[in-house]
Amino acid sequence: MATKFALHLAFMTDQNKKVRISIPSPKQPVEASAVDAAVQMIVSKGIFAMPQGKIVSALPAEQTQTDTSSVS
């Protein structure tokens, strides 16, 4: 049974739109302090240009887990 993880970073833009950056297979365990530092840097440095506008604030990040086992 294989399990896949993804980390989803969510942000608000200056156009009041929600955007999400997904990171497949993040290194485990994911440390909340490292995620917080990364999202704050993304906001403060304006690292990503989004069609929905400039990122102005961070929303809570989430990690998802998916079971990828095949049924025989």
Side-chain angles (χ1 to χ4, degrees), residues 3-70:
T3 302
K4 288 189 177 181
F5 292 92
L7 179 62
H8 307 285
L9 309 178
F11 302 92
M12 288 300 291
T13 70
D14 60 353
Q15 296 178 15
N16 205 33
K17 303 283 185 181
K18 184 176 176 181
V19 295
R20 187 167 84 164
I21 299 170
S22 296
I23 303 167
S25 305
K27 181 180 174 186
Q28 296 295 320
V30 173
E31 296 181 20
S33 61
V35 172
D36 290 342
V39 296
Q40 291 309 316
M41 182 176 288
I42 290 169
V43 171
S44 68
K45 301 286 185 183
I47 295 171
F48 295 104
M50 301 288 192
Q52 299 90 341
K54 179 183 175 188
I55 292 175
V56 294
S57 65
L59 298 173
E62 66 178 19
Q63 181 172 245
T64 57
Q65 177 179 340
T66 306
D67 177 16
T68 59
S69 62
S70 60

